[in-house]
Amino acid sequence: MILADKAYYGYLGRTGLVVLKSAVGFLFLLAVSWGGSAQTCCSGGVPLGGSLGLGSAESRTLQVLLTYDYNAIHDLVSFSEELDDDTRSRTTQSSIIELNYGINQRWSFAGVVPFIRQTRTIQAFSGEDFTSAQGLGDVVLLVKYRILTFEMSPDFDWIIGTGPKFPTGRTDYRNNQGLTMAADMQPGSGSFDGIFWSYFYKSRFLKNPNLGLFGVTTFRYSGENKNYNTTQTYRFGNEFQAGLGLNYSLFLKWPVDVSTLLRYRCQSEDLIDDNVFPSSGGQWVYVIPGVNINFSPAWSFRLSGDIPVYRKLDGTQLTTSYKLTAAILFNIPFSRKKLFNN
């Protein structure tokens, strides 16, 4: 353990270590502050499928991805038409810790732990009705398998994964009137879900050494929360997401990757006591430009934004206007050979 710790510090470097400590401390303070005021509000779930941000870790390497999402949910859309109504809005802020450890070149394990804060504002004649909620969300564990090793296909990486989502987040938050908040305002789903995930990356795309093609697919099979509102059974709709993007690598002061991803998301309608829950489910398409700066082999920083370009919803819903994401990735090897090579 002592040798590993010394090597880890040397690999990350002083700057990387300071960034890691600051980032973890920031997320910890967010979690503590949210937990301290949880009794006054409600919270909402997060579509974790779109937050699985890592591929597969290299052998005997731990990846730590710290992500912060700000999701502005201001658009009121009826089917495909945006309504001229700004009397209500919501925001979702998510701090997500994702750990990814590579056992060997083929197998790796990942864990995702989210902390969620949601706010809702309604403008009424009697004044502004503001509620907020925060707490631990549902934890996801994944087992990942690399289909093609580097020796088999040096220009094409393909990884698949699967695992459960555990109902670790609360589903019994109440509003100021003492009523249980809607299911999508709770931090957890209350159900065991199945997650299926796939990722590929094609380097030297179109024979350009700086251009890459990548894609990620996620499917969530939702289970049931049989204790929703004490006596009811609630089931979120199954969710499918597929993204296809291009990545261009260049060198400024550091290696920089510029990317654009087109992501399609489809979610079926929710069910409550086996009946369709109105105004739930739909289809969305987002364009997601992003930039990734690799300060060293040990750590990098990423900034991206989701811009909706197509929405076809079931009923009338508040939906995403835009989303901003910032993330820091740390690579921590536990192999002496890799440490000395870097």
Side-chain angles (χ1 to χ4, degrees), residues 221-225 233-238 268-272:
Y221 181 80
S222 301
E224 294 181 337
N225 176 9
T233 297
Y234 198 95
R235 184 177 185 274
F236 284 97
N238 296 328
S268 59
E269 293 174 310
D270 299 350
L271 299 177
I272 183 167

Side-chain angles (χ1 to χ4, degrees), residues 128-191:
E128 182 179 281
D129 179 18
F130 175 82
T131 57
S132 64
Q134 50 275 317
L136 174 69
D138 289 346
V139 172
V140 174
L141 296 180
L142 286 182
V143 178
K144 299 179 179 179
Y145 180 75
R146 173 174 277 119
I147 301 293
L148 302 172
T149 64
F150 180 80
E151 291 75 15
M152 297 168 64
S153 179
D155 294 335
F156 189 82
D157 194 15
W158 181 22
I159 307 160
I160 59 174
T162 185
K165 181 177 74 63
F166 299 93
T168 52
R170 285 181 56 178
T171 61
D172 58 352
Y173 280 103
R174 298 176 181 271
N175 60 18
N176 295 332
Q177 287 75 44
L179 302 175
T180 301
M181 301 298 297
D184 68 344
M185 289 290 290
Q186 303 286 348
S189 65
S191 63

Side-chain angles (χ1 to χ4, degrees), residues 13-35:
R14 180 170 298 178
T15 302
L17 185 59
V18 170
V19 173
L20 175 60
K21 286 183 175 179
S22 301
V24 172
F26 174 72
L27 291 175
F28 177 76
L29 288 174
L30 279 179
V32 170
S33 62
W34 294 351

Side-chain angles (χ1 to χ4, degrees), residues 218-261:
T218 307
F219 176 72
R220 184 194 69 210
Y221 181 80
S222 301
E224 294 181 337
N225 176 9
K226 296 185 177 180
N227 194 38
Y228 174 66
N229 203 13
T230 307
T231 59
Q232 295 178 294
T233 297
Y234 198 95
R235 184 177 185 274
F236 284 97
N238 296 328
E239 181 187 50
F240 171 78
Q241 297 192 53
L244 187 66
L246 293 171
N247 180 84
Y248 190 83
S249 301
L250 62 158
F251 188 88
L252 299 177
K253 185 177 181 180
W254 303 281
V256 175
D257 296 315
V258 181
S259 65
T260 299
L261 174 70

Side-chain angles (χ1 to χ4, degrees), residues 14-247:
R14 180 170 298 178
T15 302
L17 185 59
V18 170
V19 173
L20 175 60
K21 286 183 175 179
S22 301
V24 172
F26 174 72
L27 291 175
F28 177 76
L29 288 174
L30 279 179
V32 170
S33 62
W34 294 351
S37 58
Q39 69 274 16
T40 62
C41 49
C42 62
S43 186
V46 166
L48 274 177
S51 303
L52 301 175
L54 294 175
S56 180
E58 296 300 320
S59 177
R60 301 186 64 185
T61 297
L62 175 66
Q63 293 180 324
V64 182
L65 180 67
L66 307 176
T67 302
Y68 173 76
D69 278 347
Y70 180 86
N71 189 4
I73 309 171
H74 302 328
D75 294 347
L76 186 64
V77 175
S78 179
F79 299 96
S80 297
E81 179 185 1
E82 182 174 349
L83 305 180
D84 184 17
D85 185 342
D86 57 358
T87 59
R88 61 191 67 193
S89 64
R90 286 177 53 176
T91 63
T92 300
Q93 299 174 67
S94 309
S95 296
I96 302 170
I97 301 173
E98 183 173 350
L99 304 176
N100 197 24
Y101 181 73
I103 299 174
N104 52 43
Q105 289 297 326
R106 285 191 181 273
W107 292 96
S108 61
F109 288 95
V112 181
V113 182
F115 299 91
I116 303 164
R117 172 180 170 82
Q118 287 209 18
T119 66
R120 184 185 65 184
T121 303
I122 299 177
Q123 304 291 343
F125 290 110
S126 56
E128 182 179 281
D129 179 18
F130 175 82
T131 57
S132 64
Q134 50 275 317
L136 174 69
D138 289 346
V139 172
V140 174
L141 296 180
L142 286 182
V143 178
K144 299 179 179 179
Y145 180 75
R146 173 174 277 119
I147 301 293
L148 302 172
T149 64
F150 180 80
E151 291 75 15
M152 297 168 64
S153 179
D155 294 335
F156 189 82
D157 194 15
W158 181 22
I159 307 160
I160 59 174
T162 185
K165 181 177 74 63
F166 299 93
T168 52
R170 285 181 56 178
T171 61
D172 58 352
Y173 280 103
R174 298 176 181 271
N175 60 18
N176 295 332
Q177 287 75 44
L179 302 175
T180 301
M181 301 298 297
D184 68 344
M185 289 290 290
Q186 303 286 348
S189 65
S191 63
F192 284 96
D193 298 349
I195 304 293
F196 304 90
W197 171 89
S198 175
Y199 167 85
F200 78 85
Y201 185 83
K202 172 69 174 71
S203 59
R204 303 181 64 84
F205 185 58
L206 300 177
K207 299 182 179 180
N208 186 325
N210 297 328
L211 187 63
L213 176 71
F214 64 98
V216 59
T217 304
T218 307
F219 176 72
R220 184 194 69 210
Y221 181 80
S222 301
E224 294 181 337
N225 176 9
K226 296 185 177 180
N227 194 38
Y228 174 66
N229 203 13
T230 307
T231 59
Q232 295 178 294
T233 297
Y234 198 95
R235 184 177 185 274
F236 284 97
N238 296 328
E239 181 187 50
F240 171 78
Q241 297 192 53
L244 187 66
L246 293 171
N247 180 84

